[in-house]
Coordinates of all heavy atoms in Angstrom, one line a residue:
M1 N 34.5 -14.9 -30.1 CA 34.5 -13.4 -30.1 C 34.9 -12.8 -31.5 O 34.3 -11.8 -31.9 CB 35.5 -12.9 -29.0 CG 35.5 -11.4 -28.8 SD 33.8 -10.9 -28.2 CE 34.3 -9.5 -27.4
N2 N 35.8 -13.5 -32.2 CA 36.1 -13.1 -33.5 C 35.0 -13.2 -34.5 O 34.8 -12.3 -35.4 CB 37.3 -13.9 -34.1 CG 38.6 -13.5 -33.4 OD1 38.8 -12.4 -33.0 ND2 39.6 -14.4 -33.5
E3 N 34.1 -14.2 -34.3 CA 32.9 -14.4 -35.1 C 32.0 -13.2 -35.0 O 31.5 -12.7 -35.9 CB 32.2 -15.7 -34.8 CG 31.0 -15.9 -35.7 CD 30.3 -17.2 -35.2 OE1 30.9 -18.0 -34.5 OE2 29.2 -17.4 -35.7
L4 N 31.8 -12.7 -33.7 CA 31.0 -11.6 -33.5 C 31.5 -10.3 -34.1 O 30.8 -9.5 -34.8 CB 30.8 -11.3 -31.9 CG 30.0 -10.1 -31.5 CD1 28.6 -10.3 -32.0 CD2 30.0 -10.0 -30.0
I5 N 32.8 -10.1 -34.0 CA 33.5 -8.9 -34.6 C 33.3 -9.0 -36.2 O 33.0 -8.0 -36.8 CB 35.0 -8.9 -34.3 CG1 35.1 -8.5 -32.7 CG2 35.7 -7.8 -35.1 CD1 36.5 -8.6 -32.2
D6 N 33.5 -10.2 -36.7 CA 33.3 -10.4 -38.2 C 31.8 -10.0 -38.6 O 31.6 -9.3 -39.6 CB 33.6 -11.8 -38.6 CG 35.1 -12.1 -38.6 OD1 35.9 -11.1 -38.6 OD2 35.4 -13.3 -38.5
K7 N 30.9 -10.5 -37.8 CA 29.5 -10.2 -38.1 C 29.2 -8.7 -38.0 O 28.4 -8.1 -38.8 CB 28.6 -11.0 -37.2 CG 28.6 -12.5 -37.6 CD 27.5 -13.3 -36.8 CE 27.7 -14.7 -37.1 NZ 26.6 -15.3 -37.7
I8 N 29.7 -8.0 -37.0 CA 29.5 -6.6 -36.9 C 30.2 -5.8 -38.0 O 29.6 -4.9 -38.6 CB 30.1 -6.1 -35.5 CG1 29.2 -6.6 -34.4 CG2 30.2 -4.6 -35.5 CD1 29.8 -6.4 -33.0
E9 N 31.3 -6.3 -38.5 CA 32.0 -5.6 -39.6 C 31.2 -5.8 -40.9 O 31.0 -4.9 -41.7 CB 33.4 -6.2 -39.8 CG 34.4 -5.6 -38.7 CD 35.7 -6.3 -38.8 OE1 36.0 -7.2 -39.6 OE2 36.6 -5.8 -38.0
N10 N 30.6 -7.0 -41.0 CA 29.7 -7.3 -42.2 C 28.5 -6.4 -42.1 O 28.0 -5.9 -43.2 CB 29.3 -8.8 -42.2 CG 30.5 -9.7 -42.7 OD1 31.4 -9.2 -43.3 ND2 30.4 -10.9 -42.3
L11 N 27.9 -6.3 -41.0 CA 26.7 -5.4 -40.8 C 27.1 -4.0 -41.2 O 26.3 -3.3 -41.9 CB 26.2 -5.4 -39.4 CG 25.0 -4.5 -39.1 CD1 23.8 -4.9 -39.9 CD2 24.7 -4.6 -37.6
E12 N 28.3 -3.5 -40.8 CA 28.7 -2.2 -41.1 C 28.8 -2.0 -42.7 O 28.4 -1.0 -43.2 CB 30.1 -1.9 -40.6 CG 30.0 -1.3 -39.1 CD 31.4 -0.9 -38.7 OE1 32.3 -1.9 -38.5 OE2 31.6 0.3 -38.4
K13 N 29.3 -3.0 -43.3 CA 29.5 -3.0 -44.8 C 28.1 -2.9 -45.5 O 27.9 -2.2 -46.4 CB 30.3 -4.2 -45.3 CG 31.8 -4.1 -44.9 CD 32.5 -5.4 -45.4 CE 33.9 -5.3 -44.9 NZ 34.6 -6.6 -45.2
V14 N 27.2 -3.7 -45.0 CA 25.9 -3.7 -45.5 C 25.2 -2.4 -45.3 O 24.6 -1.8 -46.2 CB 25.0 -4.9 -44.9 CG1 23.6 -4.7 -45.3 CG2 25.6 -6.2 -45.3
L15 N 25.3 -1.8 -44.1 CA 24.7 -0.6 -43.8 C 25.3 0.6 -44.7 O 24.6 1.5 -45.1 CB 24.8 -0.2 -42.3 CG 24.0 -1.1 -41.4 CD1 24.2 -0.7 -40.0 CD2 22.5 -0.9 -41.7
D16 N 26.6 0.5 -44.9 CA 27.3 1.5 -45.7 C 26.7 1.5 -47.2 O 26.8 2.5 -47.9 CB 28.8 1.3 -45.8 CG 29.4 1.8 -44.5 OD1 28.8 2.6 -43.8 OD2 30.6 1.4 -44.2
K17 N 26.2 0.4 -47.6 CA 25.7 0.2 -49.0 C 24.1 0.5 -49.0 O 23.6 0.5 -50.1 CB 26.0 -1.1 -49.5 CG 27.4 -1.4 -49.7 CD 27.7 -2.8 -50.2 CE 29.2 -3.0 -50.3 NZ 29.5 -4.4 -50.7
N18 N 23.5 0.6 -47.9 CA 22.1 0.9 -47.8 C 21.7 2.2 -48.4 O 22.3 3.2 -48.1 CB 21.6 0.8 -46.3 CG 20.2 1.0 -46.2 OD1 19.7 2.1 -46.3 ND2 19.4 -0.1 -45.9
S19 N 20.7 2.2 -49.3 CA 20.4 3.4 -50.0 C 20.0 4.6 -49.1 O 20.3 5.7 -49.4 CB 19.3 3.1 -51.1 OG 18.1 2.7 -50.5
S20 N 19.2 4.3 -48.0 CA 18.8 5.3 -47.1 C 20.0 5.9 -46.4 O 20.0 7.1 -46.2 CB 17.8 4.7 -46.1 OG 16.6 4.4 -46.7
I21 N 21.0 5.1 -46.0 CA 22.2 5.6 -45.4 C 22.9 6.5 -46.3 O 23.4 7.6 -45.9 CB 23.1 4.5 -44.8 CG1 22.3 3.5 -43.9 CG2 24.3 5.0 -44.2 CD1 22.0 4.1 -42.5
I22 N 23.1 6.1 -47.5 CA 23.8 6.8 -48.5 C 23.1 8.2 -48.8 O 23.7 9.2 -48.8 CB 24.0 6.0 -49.8 CG1 24.9 4.8 -49.6 CG2 24.5 6.9 -51.0 CD1 24.9 3.8 -50.7
N23 N 21.8 8.1 -48.9 CA 21.0 9.3 -49.2 C 21.0 10.3 -48.1 O 21.1 11.5 -48.3 CB 19.6 9.0 -49.5 CG 19.4 8.3 -50.9 OD1 20.3 8.5 -51.8 ND2 18.3 7.6 -51.1
I24 N 20.9 9.8 -46.8 CA 20.9 10.7 -45.7 C 22.2 11.4 -45.5 O 22.3 12.6 -45.1 CB 20.4 10.0 -44.4 CG1 19.8 11.1 -43.5 CG2 21.5 9.3 -43.7 CD1 18.8 10.6 -42.5
R25 N 23.3 10.7 -45.8 CA 24.6 11.3 -45.7 C 24.7 12.5 -46.7 O 25.2 13.6 -46.4 CB 25.7 10.3 -46.0 CG 26.0 9.4 -44.8 CD 27.0 8.4 -45.1 NE 27.2 7.5 -43.9 CZ 27.8 6.3 -44.0 NH1 28.2 5.8 -45.1 NH2 27.9 5.6 -42.9
K26 N 24.3 12.2 -47.9 CA 24.3 13.2 -49.0 C 23.4 14.4 -48.6 O 23.7 15.6 -48.7 CB 23.8 12.6 -50.3 CG 23.9 13.5 -51.5 CD 23.3 12.8 -52.7 CE 22.0 13.5 -53.0 NZ 21.0 13.0 -53.8
L27 N 22.2 14.1 -48.1 CA 21.2 15.1 -47.7 C 21.7 16.0 -46.6 O 21.5 17.2 -46.5 CB 19.9 14.5 -47.4 CG 19.1 14.0 -48.6 CD1 17.9 13.1 -48.1 CD2 18.6 15.1 -49.5
N28 N 22.4 15.3 -45.7 CA 23.0 16.0 -44.5 C 24.0 17.1 -45.0 O 24.0 18.2 -44.5 CB 23.7 15.0 -43.6 CG 24.0 15.6 -42.2 OD1 23.3 16.5 -41.8 ND2 25.0 15.1 -41.6
K29 N 24.8 16.7 -46.0 CA 25.8 17.7 -46.5 C 25.0 18.9 -47.2 O 25.3 20.0 -47.0 CB 26.7 17.1 -47.5 CG 27.7 16.2 -46.8 CD 28.6 15.5 -47.9 CE 29.5 14.4 -47.2 NZ 30.3 13.7 -48.1
E30 N 24.0 18.5 -47.9 CA 23.2 19.5 -48.6 C 22.5 20.5 -47.6 O 22.4 21.7 -47.9 CB 22.2 18.9 -49.6 CG 22.7 18.2 -50.8 CD 21.7 17.5 -51.6 OE1 20.6 18.0 -51.7 OE2 22.1 16.5 -52.3
L31 N 22.0 19.9 -46.6 CA 21.3 20.7 -45.5 C 22.3 21.7 -44.9 O 21.9 22.9 -44.7 CB 20.7 19.8 -44.4 CG 19.4 19.0 -44.8 CD1 19.1 18.1 -43.6 CD2 18.3 20.0 -45.0
K32 N 23.5 21.2 -44.6 CA 24.5 22.1 -44.0 C 24.9 23.3 -45.0 O 25.2 24.4 -44.5 CB 25.7 21.3 -43.6 CG 25.5 20.4 -42.5 CD 26.7 19.6 -42.1 CE 26.5 18.7 -41.0 NZ 27.6 17.9 -40.6
N33 N 24.8 23.0 -46.3 CA 25.2 24.0 -47.2 C 24.0 24.9 -47.7 O 24.3 25.8 -48.5 CB 25.9 23.4 -48.4 CG 27.2 22.7 -48.0 OD1 27.9 23.2 -47.2 ND2 27.5 21.6 -48.7
D34 N 22.8 24.6 -47.3 CA 21.7 25.3 -47.8 C 21.5 26.6 -46.9 O 21.0 26.5 -45.8 CB 20.4 24.5 -47.7 CG 19.2 25.1 -48.4 OD1 18.9 26.2 -48.1 OD2 18.7 24.4 -49.3
K35 N 21.8 27.7 -47.5 CA 21.8 29.0 -46.7 C 20.4 29.4 -46.3 O 20.2 29.8 -45.1 CB 22.5 30.1 -47.5 CG 24.0 29.9 -47.7 CD 24.6 31.0 -48.5 CE 26.1 30.7 -48.6 NZ 26.8 31.8 -49.3
K36 N 19.5 29.2 -47.2 CA 18.1 29.7 -46.8 C 17.6 28.8 -45.6 O 17.0 29.4 -44.7 CB 17.2 29.5 -48.0 CG 15.8 30.0 -47.7 CD 14.8 29.9 -48.9 CE 13.4 30.3 -48.4 NZ 12.4 30.1 -49.4
L37 N 17.8 27.5 -45.7 CA 17.3 26.7 -44.7 C 18.0 27.0 -43.3 O 17.4 27.0 -42.3 CB 17.5 25.2 -45.0 CG 17.0 24.2 -44.0 CD1 15.5 24.4 -43.7 CD2 17.3 22.8 -44.4
N38 N 19.3 27.2 -43.4 CA 20.0 27.5 -42.2 C 19.6 28.9 -41.6 O 19.5 29.0 -40.4 CB 21.5 27.6 -42.5 CG 22.1 26.1 -42.5 OD1 21.9 25.4 -41.6 ND2 22.7 25.8 -43.7
E39 N 19.2 29.8 -42.4 CA 18.7 31.1 -41.9 C 17.4 30.9 -41.2 O 17.1 31.4 -40.2 CB 18.5 32.1 -43.1 CG 19.8 32.6 -43.6 CD 19.7 33.5 -44.9 OE1 18.5 33.8 -45.2 OE2 20.7 33.8 -45.5
L40 N 16.5 30.0 -41.9 CA 15.2 29.7 -41.3 C 15.4 29.1 -39.9 O 14.7 29.4 -38.9 CB 14.4 28.8 -42.2 CG 13.8 29.5 -43.4 CD1 13.2 28.4 -44.3 CD2 12.8 30.5 -43.1
L41 N 16.3 28.1 -39.8 CA 16.6 27.4 -38.6 C 17.1 28.3 -37.5 O 16.7 28.3 -36.4 CB 17.6 26.3 -38.8 CG 17.1 25.1 -39.6 CD1 18.2 24.2 -40.0 CD2 16.0 24.3 -38.9
T42 N 18.0 29.2 -37.9 CA 18.5 30.2 -36.9 C 17.4 31.1 -36.4 O 17.2 31.4 -35.2 CB 19.6 31.1 -37.6 OG1 20.6 30.2 -38.0 CG2 20.2 32.1 -36.6
K43 N 16.6 31.6 -37.3 CA 15.4 32.5 -37.0 C 14.5 31.7 -36.0 O 14.0 32.3 -35.1 CB 14.7 33.0 -38.2 CG 15.3 34.0 -39.0 CD 14.5 34.4 -40.1 CE 15.2 35.4 -41.1 NZ 14.4 35.7 -42.3
Y44 N 14.2 30.5 -36.4 CA 13.3 29.7 -35.5 C 13.9 29.5 -34.1 O 13.1 29.6 -33.1 CB 13.0 28.3 -36.2 CG 12.1 27.5 -35.3 CD1 10.7 27.9 -35.1 CD2 12.5 26.4 -34.6 CE1 9.9 27.2 -34.3 CE2 11.7 25.7 -33.7 CZ 10.4 26.1 -33.6 OH 9.5 25.4 -32.8
R45 N 15.1 29.2 -34.0 CA 15.8 29.0 -32.7 C 15.7 30.3 -31.9 O 15.5 30.3 -30.7 CB 17.2 28.6 -32.8 CG 17.4 27.2 -33.2 CD 18.9 26.8 -33.2 NE 19.1 25.8 -34.1 CZ 19.8 25.9 -35.2 NH1 20.5 27.0 -35.5 NH2 20.0 24.9 -36.1
E46 N 15.8 31.4 -32.5 CA 15.7 32.7 -31.8 C 14.3 33.1 -31.5 O 14.1 33.7 -30.4 CB 16.3 33.8 -32.7 CG 17.8 33.6 -32.9 CD 18.4 34.6 -34.0 OE1 17.6 35.3 -34.6 OE2 19.6 34.6 -34.2
T47 N 13.3 32.8 -32.3 CA 12.0 33.3 -32.1 C 10.9 32.3 -31.7 O 9.9 32.6 -31.2 CB 11.5 34.0 -33.4 OG1 11.4 33.0 -34.4 CG2 12.4 35.1 -33.8
N48 N 11.2 31.0 -32.1 CA 10.2 30.0 -31.9 C 8.9 30.3 -32.6 O 7.8 29.9 -32.2 CB 9.9 29.7 -30.4 CG 11.0 28.8 -29.8 OD1 11.7 28.1 -30.5 ND2 11.2 29.0 -28.5
D49 N 9.0 31.0 -33.7 CA 7.8 31.4 -34.5 C 7.2 30.2 -35.2 O 7.9 29.5 -36.0 CB 8.2 32.5 -35.5 CG 7.1 33.0 -36.3 OD1 6.0 32.3 -36.4 OD2 7.2 34.1 -36.9
I50 N 6.0 29.9 -35.0 CA 5.3 28.7 -35.6 C 5.3 28.8 -37.1 O 5.4 27.8 -37.8 CB 3.9 28.5 -35.0 CG1 3.4 27.1 -35.4 CG2 3.0 29.6 -35.4 CD1 4.0 26.0 -34.7
N51 N 5.2 30.0 -37.7 CA 5.2 30.1 -39.1 C 6.5 29.8 -39.7 O 6.6 29.2 -40.8 CB 4.8 31.6 -39.5 CG 3.4 31.9 -39.1 OD1 2.5 31.1 -39.3 ND2 3.2 33.1 -38.6
I52 N 7.6 30.1 -39.1 CA 8.9 29.7 -39.5 C 9.1 28.2 -39.5 O 9.6 27.6 -40.4 CB 10.0 30.4 -38.7 CG1 10.0 31.9 -39.0 CG2 11.4 29.9 -39.1 CD1 10.9 32.8 -38.1
K53 N 8.5 27.6 -38.4 CA 8.6 26.2 -38.2 C 7.8 25.5 -39.4 O 8.3 24.5 -40.0 CB 8.0 25.7 -36.9 CG 8.0 24.3 -36.7 CD 7.5 23.9 -35.3 CE 7.5 22.4 -35.0 NZ 7.1 22.1 -33.7
K54 N 6.7 26.0 -39.7 CA 5.9 25.5 -40.8 C 6.7 25.6 -42.2 O 6.6 24.6 -43.0 CB 4.5 26.2 -41.0 CG 3.6 25.8 -39.9 CD 2.3 26.6 -40.0 CE 1.4 26.3 -38.9 NZ 0.1 27.1 -39.0
E55 N 7.4 26.7 -42.3 CA 8.2 26.9 -43.5 C 9.3 25.8 -43.6 O 9.6 25.3 -44.6 CB 8.7 28.3 -43.6 CG 9.2 28.7 -44.9 CD 9.6 30.1 -45.0 OE1 9.2 31.0 -44.1 OE2 10.4 30.5 -45.9
I56 N 9.9 25.6 -42.4 CA 11.0 24.6 -42.4 C 10.5 23.2 -42.7 O 11.1 22.5 -43.5 CB 11.7 24.6 -41.0 CG1 12.4 25.9 -40.8 CG2 12.6 23.4 -40.8 CD1 12.9 26.2 -39.3
I57 N 9.4 22.9 -42.1 CA 8.8 21.5 -42.3 C 8.4 21.3 -43.7 O 8.5 20.2 -44.3 CB 7.6 21.3 -41.3 CG1 8.1 21.2 -39.9 CG2 6.8 20.1 -41.7 CD1 7.1 21.2 -38.8
S58 N 8.0 22.4 -44.4 CA 7.5 22.2 -45.8 C 8.7 22.4 -46.8 O 8.5 22.2 -48.0 CB 6.4 23.2 -46.1 OG 6.9 24.5 -46.1
Y59 N 9.9 22.7 -46.3 CA 11.0 22.9 -47.2 C 11.4 21.5 -47.8 O 11.6 20.5 -47.1 CB 12.2 23.4 -46.3 CG 13.3 24.1 -47.1 CD1 13.1 25.4 -47.5 CD2 14.4 23.4 -47.4 CE1 14.1 26.1 -48.2 CE2 15.5 24.1 -48.1 CZ 15.3 25.4 -48.5 OH 16.3 26.0 -49.2
P60 N 11.4 21.5 -49.1 CA 11.6 20.2 -49.8 C 12.8 19.4 -49.4 O 12.7 18.1 -49.2 CB 11.8 20.6 -51.3 CG 11.1 21.9 -51.4 CD 11.3 22.6 -50.1
L61 N 13.9 20.0 -49.2 CA 15.2 19.3 -48.8 C 15.0 18.7 -47.4 O 15.4 17.6 -47.1 CB 16.4 20.2 -48.8 CG 17.7 19.6 -48.6 CD1 18.0 18.5 -49.7 CD2 18.8 20.7 -48.7
F62 N 14.3 19.5 -46.5 CA 14.1 19.0 -45.1 C 13.1 17.8 -45.2 O 13.3 16.8 -44.4 CB 13.5 20.2 -44.3 CG 13.3 19.8 -42.9 CD1 14.4 19.8 -42.0 CD2 12.1 19.5 -42.4 CE1 14.2 19.5 -40.6 CE2 11.9 19.2 -41.0 CZ 12.9 19.2 -40.2
K63 N 12.1 17.9 -46.0 CA 11.2 16.8 -46.1 C 11.8 15.5 -46.6 O 11.6 14.4 -46.1 CB 10.0 17.2 -47.1 CG 9.1 18.2 -46.5 CD 8.1 18.8 -47.5 CE 7.0 17.8 -47.8 NZ 6.0 18.4 -48.7
Q64 N 12.7 15.6 -47.6 CA 13.5 14.5 -48.1 C 14.3 13.9 -46.9 O 14.4 12.6 -46.8 CB 14.5 14.9 -49.2 CG 13.8 15.1 -50.5 CD 14.9 15.5 -51.5 OE1 15.5 16.5 -51.4 NE2 15.1 14.6 -52.5
Y65 N 15.0 14.8 -46.2 CA 15.8 14.3 -45.1 C 15.0 13.5 -44.0 O 15.4 12.4 -43.6 CB 16.5 15.5 -44.4 CG 17.4 15.1 -43.3 CD1 18.8 14.7 -43.6 CD2 17.0 15.0 -42.0 CE1 19.6 14.4 -42.5 CE2 17.8 14.6 -41.0 CZ 19.1 14.3 -41.2 OH 20.0 13.9 -40.2
K66 N 13.8 14.1 -43.7 CA 13.0 13.4 -42.7 C 12.4 12.1 -43.2 O 12.3 11.2 -42.4 CB 11.8 14.3 -42.3 CG 12.2 15.6 -41.5 CD 13.1 15.3 -40.3 CE 12.4 15.2 -39.1 NZ 13.2 14.9 -37.9
S67 N 12.2 12.0 -44.5 CA 11.7 10.8 -45.1 C 12.8 9.7 -45.0 O 12.5 8.5 -44.5 CB 11.3 11.0 -46.5 OG 11.0 9.8 -47.1
E68 N 14.0 10.0 -45.3 CA 15.1 9.1 -45.2 C 15.4 8.7 -43.7 O 15.7 7.6 -43.4 CB 16.4 9.6 -45.8 CG 16.4 9.7 -47.3 CD 16.2 8.4 -48.0 OE1 16.5 7.3 -47.5 OE2 15.7 8.4 -49.2
E69 N 15.2 9.7 -42.9 CA 15.4 9.4 -41.4 C 14.4 8.4 -40.9 O 14.8 7.5 -40.1 CB 15.3 10.8 -40.7 CG 15.6 10.6 -39.2 CD 15.4 12.0 -38.5 OE1 14.3 12.6 -38.6 OE2 16.3 12.4 -37.8
T70 N 13.2 8.5 -41.4 CA 12.1 7.6 -41.0 C 12.5 6.2 -41.5 O 12.4 5.2 -40.8 CB 10.8 8.0 -41.6 OG1 10.5 9.3 -41.1 CG2 9.7 7.0 -41.2
E71 N 13.0 6.1 -42.7 CA 13.4 4.8 -43.3 C 14.5 4.2 -42.4 O 14.5 3.0 -42.1 CB 13.9 4.9 -44.7 CG 12.8 5.2 -45.7 CD 11.7 4.1 -45.7 OE1 12.0 2.9 -45.7 OE2 10.5 4.5 -45.6
I72 N 15.5 5.0 -42.0 CA 16.6 4.5 -41.2 C 16.1 4.1 -39.8 O 16.5 3.1 -39.2 CB 17.7 5.6 -41.0 CG1 18.4 5.7 -42.4 CG2 18.7 5.2 -39.9 CD1 19.3 6.9 -42.5
N73 N 15.1 4.8 -39.3 CA 14.5 4.4 -38.0 C 13.8 3.0 -38.1 O 13.9 2.2 -37.2 CB 13.5 5.4 -37.5 CG 14.2 6.6 -36.9 OD1 15.4 6.6 -36.5 ND2 13.6 7.8 -37.0
Y74 N 13.1 2.8 -39.2 CA 12.6 1.4 -39.5 C 13.6 0.4 -39.5 O 13.5 -0.7 -39.0 CB 11.7 1.4 -40.7 CG 10.4 2.1 -40.7 CD1 10.0 3.0 -41.7 CD2 9.6 2.0 -39.6 CE1 8.8 3.7 -41.6 CE2 8.4 2.7 -39.5 CZ 8.0 3.5 -40.5 OH 6.8 4.2 -40.5
L75 N 14.7 0.7 -40.2 CA 15.9 -0.3 -40.3 C 16.4 -0.6 -38.9 O 16.7 -1.7 -38.6 CB 16.9 0.3 -41.2 CG 18.2 -0.5 -41.4 CD1 17.9 -1.8 -42.1 CD2 19.2 0.3 -42.2
I76 N 16.5 0.5 -38.1 CA 17.0 0.3 -36.7 C 16.1 -0.6 -35.9 O 16.5 -1.5 -35.2 CB 17.2 1.6 -36.0 CG1 18.4 2.4 -36.6 CG2 17.5 1.5 -34.5 CD1 18.5 3.8 -36.2
L77 N 14.8 -0.4 -36.0 CA 13.8 -1.2 -35.4 C 13.9 -2.7 -35.8 O 13.8 -3.6 -35.0 CB 12.4 -0.7 -35.6 CG 12.0 0.5 -34.9 CD1 10.6 1.0 -35.4 CD2 11.9 0.3 -33.4
E78 N 14.1 -2.9 -37.1 CA 14.3 -4.3 -37.6 C 15.5 -4.9 -37.0 O 15.5 -6.1 -36.6 CB 14.3 -4.2 -39.1 CG 14.4 -5.6 -39.8 CD 14.4 -5.5 -41.3 OE1 14.0 -4.4 -41.9 OE2 14.8 -6.5 -41.9
I79 N 16.6 -4.2 -37.0 CA 17.9 -4.7 -36.4 C 17.7 -5.0 -35.0 O 18.1 -6.1 -34.5 CB 19.0 -3.7 -36.7 CG1 19.4 -3.6 -38.1 CG2 20.3 -4.1 -35.8 CD1 20.4 -2.5 -38.5
N80 N 17.1 -4.1 -34.2 CA 16.9 -4.4 -32.8 C 16.0 -5.6 -32.6 O 16.2 -6.4 -31.6 CB 16.2 -3.1 -32.2 CG 17.2 -2.0 -31.9 OD1 18.4 -2.3 -31.9 ND2 16.7 -0.8 -31.8
S81 N 15.0 -5.8 -33.4 CA 14.1 -7.0 -33.2 C 14.9 -8.3 -33.4 O 14.7 -9.3 -32.7 CB 12.9 -6.9 -34.1 OG 13.2 -7.1 -35.4
K82 N 15.8 -8.2 -34.5 CA 16.6 -9.4 -34.7 C 17.6 -9.7 -33.6 O 17.8 -10.8 -33.2 CB 17.3 -9.3 -36.1 CG 16.3 -9.3 -37.2 CD 16.9 -9.6 -38.5 CE 16.0 -9.4 -39.6 NZ 15.3 -10.6 -40.0
L83 N 18.2 -8.6 -33.1 CA 19.1 -8.7 -31.9 C 18.4 -9.3 -30.7 O 18.9 -10.1 -30.0 CB 19.7 -7.4 -31.6 CG 20.8 -6.9 -32.6 CD1 21.2 -5.5 -32.2 CD2 22.0 -7.8 -32.7
K84 N 17.1 -8.9 -30.5 CA 16.3 -9.4 -29.4 C 16.1 -10.8 -29.5 O 16.2 -11.6 -28.6 CB 15.0 -8.6 -29.3 CG 14.2 -8.9 -28.1 CD 12.9 -8.1 -28.0 CE 12.1 -8.4 -26.8 NZ 10.9 -7.6 -26.7
L85 N 15.8 -11.3 -30.8 CA 15.6 -12.7 -31.0 C 16.9 -13.5 -30.7 O 16.8 -14.6 -30.1 CB 15.2 -13.0 -32.5 CG 13.8 -12.6 -32.9 CD1 13.6 -12.8 -34.4 CD2 12.8 -13.4 -32.1
I86 N 18.0 -13.0 -31.1 CA 19.3 -13.6 -30.8 C 19.5 -13.7 -29.3 O 19.9 -14.7 -28.8 CB 20.5 -12.9 -31.5 CG1 20.3 -13.1 -33.0 CG2 21.8 -13.4 -31.0 CD1 21.3 -12.2 -33.8
G87 N 19.2 -12.6 -28.6 CA 19.4 -12.6 -27.2 C 18.5 -13.6 -26.5 O 18.9 -14.2 -25.5
N88 N 17.2 -13.7 -27.0 CA 16.3 -14.6 -26.4 C 16.8 -16.1 -26.6 O 16.6 -16.9 -25.8 CB 14.9 -14.5 -27.0 CG 14.2 -13.2 -26.5 OD1 14.6 -12.7 -25.4 ND2 13.2 -12.7 -27.2
R89 N 17.3 -16.3 -27.8 CA 17.9 -17.7 -28.1 C 19.0 -18.0 -27.2 O 19.1 -19.2 -26.7 CB 18.3 -17.8 -29.5 CG 17.2 -18.1 -30.5 CD 17.8 -18.4 -31.8 NE 17.2 -17.5 -32.8 CZ 17.8 -17.1 -33.9 NH1 19.0 -17.4 -34.1 NH2 17.2 -16.3 -34.7
S90 N 19.9 -17.1 -26.9 CA 21.0 -17.4 -26.1 C 20.6 -17.6 -24.6 O 21.2 -18.4 -23.9 CB 22.1 -16.3 -26.1 OG 21.6 -15.1 -25.6
K91 N 19.5 -16.9 -24.2 CA 19.0 -17.1 -22.8 C 18.4 -18.5 -22.7 O 18.5 -19.1 -21.6 CB 18.0 -16.1 -22.5 CG 18.5 -14.7 -22.2 CD 17.4 -13.7 -21.9 CE 18.0 -12.3 -21.8 NZ 16.9 -11.3 -21.7
C92 N 17.8 -19.0 -23.7 CA 17.1 -20.3 -23.7 C 18.2 -21.4 -23.7 O 17.9 -22.5 -23.1 CB 16.3 -20.5 -25.0 SG 14.8 -19.4 -25.0
N93 N 19.3 -21.1 -24.2 CA 20.4 -22.1 -24.2 C 21.2 -22.2 -22.9 O 22.0 -23.1 -22.8 CB 21.4 -21.9 -25.4 CG 20.7 -22.1 -26.7 OD1 19.8 -22.8 -26.9 ND2 21.2 -21.4 -27.7
L94 N 20.9 -21.3 -22.0 CA 21.7 -21.4 -20.7 C 21.2 -22.4 -19.8 O 20.4 -23.1 -19.7 CB 21.6 -20.0 -20.0 CG 22.2 -18.9 -20.7 CD1 22.0 -17.6 -19.9 CD2 23.7 -19.1 -20.8

């Protein structure tokens, strides 16, 4: 059990150093502080105006965030596939 905990802690350390994780944390702070984007988001929530949605989607900071989010999703898929392999190996050993 200690080995598993050690491996999880190592994974956390590696993920904390991952450039996409670092970038998305930074971008998340920037998004929260961007007044114009927050105004657009508020207006969109109130009106569901497609033009506002297009403006949000084309907003450079939002596009950067979505790009990093996509990279993180690929990373999650990769981790899940490796975990699945480990799970399959342990089932074979039973």
